[in-house]
Each structure stands twice: as C-alpha cells, then as structure tokens.
Amino acid sequence: MCGILALIQANKSAKPSDTSVATELHESLYFLQHRGQDSCGIATDSSSMGIGHLRYPTAGTSANAEAQPFYVNSPYGICFAHNGNLINATELKGFLDYEAHRHINTDSDSELMLNIFANELNETKKARVNDKDIVGAIRRMYKRCVGGWACVAMLAGYGLIGFRDSYGIRPLIMGSRPSEDGVGTDYMMASESVALKQLGFGDFVDVLPGQAIIIGKEAPPVAYQVEDQKRYAPDIFEFCYFARPDSIIDGISVNQSRENMGYRLANKIMRTLTPEEVKGIDVIIPIPETSNTSAPCVAARLKRKYYQGFVKNRYVFRTFIMPGATQRQKGVKRKLNAMDEKFAGKNVLLIDDSIVRGTTSREIVSMARDAGAKKVYFASCAPPITHAHIYGIDLASPNELIAHDHGHDRALTEIAKHVGADQVIFQDLEDLKAACADAEVRRPAASAETQKPRDFEVGVFCGEYVTPVGEGYLRHLEEVRGGARKMKVMEKVRGVVANGVVAAEEEEMANGGMDGDVGAAAGDNGDGGEKRGRFEREQQGGEETPKDRMDISLHNFGDFKR
C-alpha cells in the first residue's frame, strides 16, 4: 500500500520558492505518511510540475532501490509512481525480458508497469507524442496488466498523467485551485482528499475506474476512458483501516463509514452476548487510533461508558506492517501504554479496526489484564481476515492470518484463546459493506448514476476477488512475501555482525533461527535447515544462483539457469 501525488502549477515564473512544486509535494507527503513508512521520493520537471510517492513494501522488498518515483529516460523521459499490485507479474517479466528487451533492476511490480507503459509508448516511433499517443499506450498497457492500481506519471516537458484500474480498487482523486497570482489553475492528484485539501485544493473529482486524466502544461485536464469500467469496487480495507478519517474516497466519508461500523458492530455484540453480559460491561475502550471513531458509537448504542484507556506514542510507526513477530510485539509496547485506573477491577470491551495475525491483539489484551481488568471482550470492526490481500496491501501470508483455515464456529473460540480474551466478536461482512455504502456524501461523478460505487473489494474476508486470480499467483505471492521477509532478517543480521554488536536475538538468527512467522511465510517447515545452509554458504563465500532480480546486480531474467 502506497500514497501517490502529482502536482502541476500554472504560471510558475510568478511563484516564490516557498510554494515550489517540490516544497508543496514534500508538505503533502506528510498528510499521506500513514500509507507508507519504508521510503518516499519526489521527482520534478523544472519547477512547474512533479510527482511524489511513499510506500511500504508489498510484492517486492524494502530495499532503497525500490523507492519511487521510478524513472526511465527512454522514451521521452517518464517518471512513474504506483499504488497497487499486479497479479501477472511473472508473465510481464518474461515479456519485458524476451520480447521488449527492457532491463528491470528490482522485484517491484511498479517498475514492471512503468516499463510496460514505456514500451507501448515507444511503439509510436515518434519524436514527440500527443494525448492520442499516450492514451493508446495506456490502453495497450491495460490489456497486458492484471490487478489493481492507481498511478501517476510525468512525461518530461509534456505534463502529468493519472490513471486507475478498470475496477476502481485503489483510490485516486483530483482537485484544483486558482494559481497564486490568479492567472490560470493549479491541479493536483492524490490517493486521498486530505492531501489536496490541506494545500488549498477543492472541486474534487474521483478518477473513475478505467479512466486516465492527462494534464498538459498550461492546459486543463482531459479525461479519457482507456478501458471499459468492469466494476466500481473500491477496496473496503481503505475504510476499515488505511485511509485517514478526514478523507473522502469515491464519494464516501471515511469518518462516517467508521461511525456506521461502530453502530453495526454494537448490534452484533447485542446479538452475541447475553443481556446480562452486555450490562456487565463496565467500560468500552478503543485501540488507538483507527477505532477511535467507531468505539464511541459502540458505547452509545450499548449505553455503556466510554474511556480512552490507552495512551499512544505518536512517534512509533504502524506495527502491523513490521516484518517480524518480535518486532511487532516490541512495537505494540512502544506504541501503547494502558492507564491502570481505566482497567482495574472492570469488565472491559476493547474495540479494534481488525485482527490480522493476532500478535498485536494478544499484546493489547495482556496489557489490559496487567492493568487489572477482570474480563476482556475483544470486538473487531472488520470480519475475520481469512485470505491474502492481492491488490497492494501486504497484510500477511494466509498461514500467518489468525482466522485462516478455521471453521467459523471453531475459529471464534480458538481466536479468543489465542489472543487471551474472554470472547472475540467480529463484524459481519454484509454489515461492513452497508456501513461504507451508507456513508456516501457525494457522487464520484455528479451526472452519472452508473458511476456510483456499487460494490467493494472484499476478497480478504471471503476469498472472492474482483479480478480473476489463479492459485498459481497466490502461491507465488506467498513465496515472494516470505522471501522478502527473510531477506530483511538476513540484512539485519549482516548489519549487526558488521558493526560488531550482536544481541542474543541476532546471534540466534545468524546461527539459523528466525521468527516463526518469517519462516512460515516462505513455506519453510520450521526446522531452519534451508536457512542455515544458505547463511553458511554466504559466509563461506560459496556461490548461489541469484534471484531473478537483485538490487545490486545487473542481470536479466534469462541470465541464469533456473
């Protein structure tokens, strides 16, 4: 999951330096920082336009080489920022290597998409391109790429481009404002409306599924339907967790959707617990910060007291995207502190946005009990997450998910036992969808009823994805994610060894051990044999067949035998 930005200013010559494109992109990145903490970047063309990106890794690694925007100088000088995931990346790698003969440096599918676009644009064989050429190249790219994406691109000397997959899975919105001297109009695109609003942009327009918008220098935006809209199904996890509450995505208020989730979750709690158990709840406490919006609504519907019982350290990153279980556990303790007086001697209902691996939830329940809670109920605003996310949000591999592969009735008991709660309650999927659908505050396109979102991408909760997905891809994704996690661990080991400071945890990893979930993500059987063998080969200078893409290498797909 990433955040993307694109900005083009009118009459740049009249602008002072404190409103330069780079300065404003840098400022707006702060408002999307919740969407990624691994890397960020800005690219500008002279001083009138630029794009920005921040990320955490999905189907690649966390290496600096995968920081965006990406750039290719041929053809025409293209900068590219991408939010999403391609589910036919292996096929695209083969095409680029064997047919297009374009070199790929990283494992990032964003770089793949850039090179597919560049290759299609190069087919024009023209010294200069126009909108028609660009639209044609995007249309051909859409025929090759499968998945969910929102992208912005900058063509040197020409203008900005923004486009979105034909299902509308990943968000992209455009706004405008008068230029600083009042002559002309500035335009900006971003993943969330809050990044536009904070820089004074208004007149928001959602980029629709299958639509591309081209903004030339000193020209108004022009929208093109590059592929027929197949569905309008925004990723519902944006509303559950990722987006800021003050954003509006596809005409839906994130804040209102979370309030609706709270009311509907309260109804589910009343259906699940006995009236005596509901009456016995002394206090309802949110897990900061996403559930801060939903928990008061649960308390209001249940007519129970509401307290802020956890104090959040605002200088700790989001913990669920940390690569290892040990890091996530430590991260939770750094991030949250329970106030004993809010828990001592009380029956507590904790409200969270979701339960993914259960690592965070277990630590939080433990903190509540250590603070003196008698009973701890745990309720999730989202349904059980049972399947992998394949469109750019790296939740976890399926075998890491606490709700994966359990029969539903058995799962609730086992999940409660795992996290240490007296009872665990999940939102129903239909209630979650209704909570978001009922939070519409404006139409994505005012004149077209058919362009209103009719559905949501909910594959993580039921395995029914909006795009066709083969089992081969799901296995491939798990292998890629597992490999990336192992690479992170080994990079950490090499770093501490090089610095001459090795803690017990690093020493254990160096001798072959890893966090269980890291090994499991890669499909290891847990015996550590494969990991020890690889580490020993590297330390002894033994050769190993390289991965298809390595950040430090200069080789292509077919350079080594498989």
Side-chain angles (χ1 to χ4, degrees):
M1 198 253 324
C2 304
I4 59 175
L5 299 159
L7 171 62
I8 186 166
Q9 295 178 338
N11 299 320
K12 180 57 210 161
S13 60
K15 303 263 183 201
S17 60
D18 61 348
T19 57
S20 69
V21 166
T23 301
E24 292 206 295
L25 286 172
H26 177 261
E27 179 71 17
S28 59
L29 284 173
Y30 284 110
F31 298 105
L32 296 182
Q33 195 168 355
H34 58 286
R35 301 186 67 88
Q37 61 196 36
D38 214 64
S39 63
C40 67
I42 294 171
T44 63
D45 178 359
S46 63
S47 58
S48 64
M49 63 179 178
I51 63 176
H53 184 274
L54 38 74
R55 76 184 282 268
Y56 83 90
T58 53
T61 72
S62 62
N64 290 339
E66 295 189 6
Q68 297 183 43
F70 282 123
Y71 170 76
V72 291
N73 67 340
S74 177
Y76 314 115
I78 307 170
C79 286
F80 192 86
H82 167 267
N83 174 30
N85 222 37
L86 300 178
I87 64 177
N88 64 333
T90 302
E91 174 188 333
L92 295 175
K93 285 180 182 179
F95 166 76
L96 289 170
D97 199 13
Y98 293 114
E99 296 184 44
H101 308 303
R102 297 188 70 91
H103 178 77
I104 304 298
N105 292 293
T106 72
D107 282 326
S108 171
D109 52 359
S110 305
E111 189 186 9
L112 291 177
M113 196 168 195
L114 165 60
N115 278 272
I116 294 291
F117 175 54
N119 183 71
E120 297 300 338
L121 198 57
N122 195 48
E123 292 299 314
T124 62
K125 309 296 183 185
K126 295 169 64 174
R128 297 289 184 270
V129 291
N130 54 33
D131 280 17
K132 182 179 179 181
D133 299 321
I134 295 170
V135 169
I138 296 174
R139 283 178 174 149
R140 294 190 296 274
M141 178 185 68
Y142 272 49
K143 293 184 184 301
R144 292 192 181 277
C145 297
V146 181
W149 60 78
C151 304
V152 291
M154 180 172 62
L155 203 59
Y158 190 91
L160 300 178
I161 311 163
F163 50 88
R164 195 175 179 191
D165 68 83
S166 56
Y167 298 89
I169 298 171
R170 301 258 59 85
L172 187 62
I173 186 170
M174 181 179 69
S176 62
R177 71 181 181 192
S179 66
E180 192 170 63
D181 62 359
V183 179
T185 302
D186 299 339
Y187 296 97
M188 186 173 182
M189 290 180 278
S191 298
E192 296 184 33
S193 62
V194 63
L196 305 178
K197 182 179 179 181
Q198 293 299 320
L199 292 186
F201 286 84
D203 297 326
F204 299 146
V205 177
D206 292 287
V207 179
L208 297 174
Q211 189 178 75
I213 294 180
I214 300 176
I215 313 173
K217 283 192 171 183
E218 300 181 6
V222 181
Y224 300 90
Q225 195 68 31
V226 295
E227 186 171 74
D228 290 342
Q229 180 177 310
K230 296 175 181 176
R231 286 172 70 177
Y232 201 157
D235 187 349
I236 207 164
F237 223 78
E238 292 279 355
F239 303 98
C240 294
Y241 179 75
F242 274 106
R244 278 178 50 142
D246 47 349
S247 286
I248 296 174
I249 296 177
D250 290 304
I252 295 172
S253 164
V254 176
N255 183 76
Q256 184 61 57
S257 72
R258 291 176 184 168
E259 289 183 356
N260 294 347
M261 291 175 205
Y263 290 123
R264 289 178 177 272
L265 179 60
N267 294 340
K268 176 67 177 293
I269 292 168
M270 288 190 288
R271 296 195 301 268
T272 304
L273 301 180
T274 66
E276 291 74 20
E277 287 174 320
V278 173
K279 189 175 180 180
I281 295 172
D282 297 305
V283 60
I284 293 174
I285 295 177
I287 311 303
E289 286 188 0
T290 311
S291 61
N292 287 357
T293 308
S294 303
C297 302
V298 175
R301 180 64 53 90
L302 297 182
K303 296 181 172 60
R304 312 313 299 160
K305 291 181 180 179
Y306 168 80
Y307 291 152
Q308 290 274 355
F310 291 100
V311 176
K312 180 181 178 183
N313 180 348
R314 299 181 183 275
Y315 303 100
V316 174
F317 291 142
R318 285 185 149 177
T319 54
F320 99 97
I321 55 178
M322 291 179 176
T326 302
Q327 286 178 267
R328 288 191 292 271
Q329 290 166 357
K330 291 180 179 178
V332 173
K333 292 182 178 179
R334 292 190 196 105
K335 184 170 74 170
L336 297 177
N337 182 52
M339 293 185 284
D340 291 358
E341 64 272 20
K342 303 296 185 183
F343 292 88
K346 297 182 175 66
N347 297 329
V348 178
L349 172 59
L350 302 179
I351 307 296
D352 208 350
D353 51 80
S354 59
I355 303 176
V356 183
R357 300 173 181 89
T359 306
T360 299
S361 304
R362 185 171 60 247
E363 290 297 318
I364 288 170
V365 171
S366 176
M367 292 168 66
R369 293 199 186 278
D370 289 345
K374 290 193 301 182
K375 282 190 174 182
V376 180
Y377 300 100
F378 201 104
S380 166
C381 292
I385 299 172
T386 56
H387 292 76
H389 196 290
I390 66 172
Y391 302 115
I393 299 178
D394 191 15
L395 292 179
S397 297
N399 57 6
E400 296 177 280
L401 298 171
I402 192 172
H404 178 66
D405 243 5
H406 289 300
H408 186 67
D409 293 336
R410 185 166 66 96
L412 294 179
T413 302
E414 291 187 358
I415 292 170
K417 182 178 180 181
H418 179 81
V419 303
D422 292 276
Q423 196 159 347
V424 170
I425 302 167
F426 288 95
Q427 183 91 265
D428 290 334
L429 179 56
E430 290 306 313
D431 280 337
L432 175 62
K433 293 164 69 173
C436 296
D438 292 345
E440 185 183 79
V441 294
R442 62 170 173 78
R443 293 281 176 84
S447 61
E449 174 68 20
T450 58
Q451 292 170 340
K452 173 183 176 182
R454 296 295 187 183
D455 204 354
F456 297 94
E457 160 50 37
V458 294
V460 293
F461 303 119
C462 61
E464 297 177 5
Y465 302 102
V466 298
T467 62
V469 183
E471 279 298 319
Y473 173 73
L474 296 176
R475 288 194 298 270
H476 166 74
L477 184 62
E478 186 167 351
E479 290 172 1
V480 169
R481 285 171 169 166
R485 287 182 175 90
K486 290 203 290 185
M487 287 174 65
K488 284 186 177 183
V489 173
M490 298 311 296
E491 287 169 3
K492 180 181 179 183
V493 171
R494 294 189 190 100
V496 295
V497 170
N499 292 330
V501 180
V502 184
E505 182 182 357
E506 282 81 23
E507 183 177 5
E508 180 182 353
M509 287 190 291
N511 289 327
M514 288 187 180
D515 281 347
D517 65 334
V518 176
D524 294 336
N525 58 16
D527 62 8
E530 184 274 335
K531 294 185 282 289
R532 282 192 294 272
R534 175 176 179 179
F535 186 79
E536 290 168 0
R537 286 197 302 275
E538 291 173 349
Q539 297 306 303
Q540 296 166 7
E543 293 184 357
E544 182 182 1
T545 301
K547 287 167 56 67
D548 292 337
R549 299 291 179 267
M550 291 183 179
D551 298 332
I552 61 172
S553 69
L554 290 174
H555 62 270
N556 265 350
F557 193 72
D559 288 350
F560 297 87
K561 293 182 179 179
R562 303 182 67 78

